[in-house]
Amino acid sequence: MNWEIVASTGEWAGAIAVVASLLYLARQIHISNLQSQAAARYSYLDAYGMANATIAASKESASVFEKGLEGGELVEGERLQFIVMLGQFLNTWGVMYDLHREGQLPESQWVVVRTDIKASFSTAGGKRFWDEIGRLNVSPEFAKWVEDLLKSGESTYSMLEDKTND
């Protein structure tokens, strides 16, 4: 047997092993990306659930949140409670914005976030919160995105009960 043939065969075997290794690595990266996206979805659900649970925990909490969104007069302790509630949502929304931009949060979940942001900050109290506190405590990119959303004219649902028929 010729040593050149043995060397050539070894080079071919090495090349095949490298290609197989690269294919395996690509598959592992793909699986890792899918797991990362799933983790982002679960984090989204958990954070959103916790924020909603804060409001739904009691009639008093829900009333403070509703009164705050309406722009009504909040008495001692209620203003801080409202700020913390809406701030919790804002923090969650900011993270969701980043995850969506990075491709970790699918459009099907992002549309819920976008609609909730628009609905919350379209109320008198939500707008006041955004203008006085919210926009100062998020990244400039997210603040600009929220501003553009609020100016978009995009329709949304109402966070508040329609009391005109009472």
Side-chain angles (χ1 to χ4, degrees):
M1 184 178 262
N2 186 337
W3 284 111
E4 289 178 20
I5 293 174
V6 171
S8 177
T9 303
E11 287 178 18
W12 273 101
I16 290 170
V18 166
V19 169
S21 295
L22 290 174
L23 290 173
Y24 175 78
L25 181 61
R27 175 80 175 136
Q28 291 302 106
I29 290 171
H30 176 71
I31 290 170
S32 177
N33 285 342
L34 291 176
Q35 290 172 338
S36 178
Q37 289 173 349
R41 288 185 193 107
Y42 290 123
S43 294
Y44 159 80
L45 291 174
D46 189 43
Y48 234 44
M50 287 175 42
N52 283 314
T54 300
I55 295 166
S58 69
K59 183 177 179 181
E60 291 78 21
S61 292
S63 294
V64 167
F65 193 69
E66 184 176 28
K67 191 179 351 176
L69 288 176
E70 289 172 342
E73 189 65 34
L74 298 171
V75 297
E76 182 180 333
E78 290 180 337
R79 182 174 188 280
L80 179 59
Q81 193 176 15
F82 175 69
I83 288 170
V84 170
M85 287 178 189
L86 200 50
Q88 185 177 12
F89 278 108
L90 183 61
N91 289 336
T92 302
W93 294 331
V95 171
M96 297 303 111
Y97 171 79
D98 291 338
L99 288 172
H100 180 68
R101 272 195 13 233
E102 295 164 2
Q104 296 293 311
L105 189 71
E107 187 64 30
S108 61
Q109 290 178 318
W110 176 241
V111 71
V112 174
V113 175
R114 189 178 72 230
T115 304
D116 285 352
I117 293 169
K118 175 81 173 176
S120 297
F121 294 150
S122 293
T123 64
K127 181 174 179 357
R128 185 168 49 237
F129 170 87
W130 173 251
D131 290 341
E132 295 174 5
I133 298 169
R135 77 163 47 118
L136 304 173
N137 291 292
V138 297
S139 70
E141 297 84 19
F142 182 54
K144 181 182 179 334
W145 182 87
V146 170
E147 291 292 330
D148 291 345
L149 175 67
L150 296 174
K151 292 175 188 172
S152 72
E154 183 178 315
S155 64
T156 189
Y157 66 91
S158 175
M159 292 286 287
L160 303 171
E161 181 182 338
D162 182 8
K163 297 181 181 180
T164 58
N165 294 330
D166 290 346

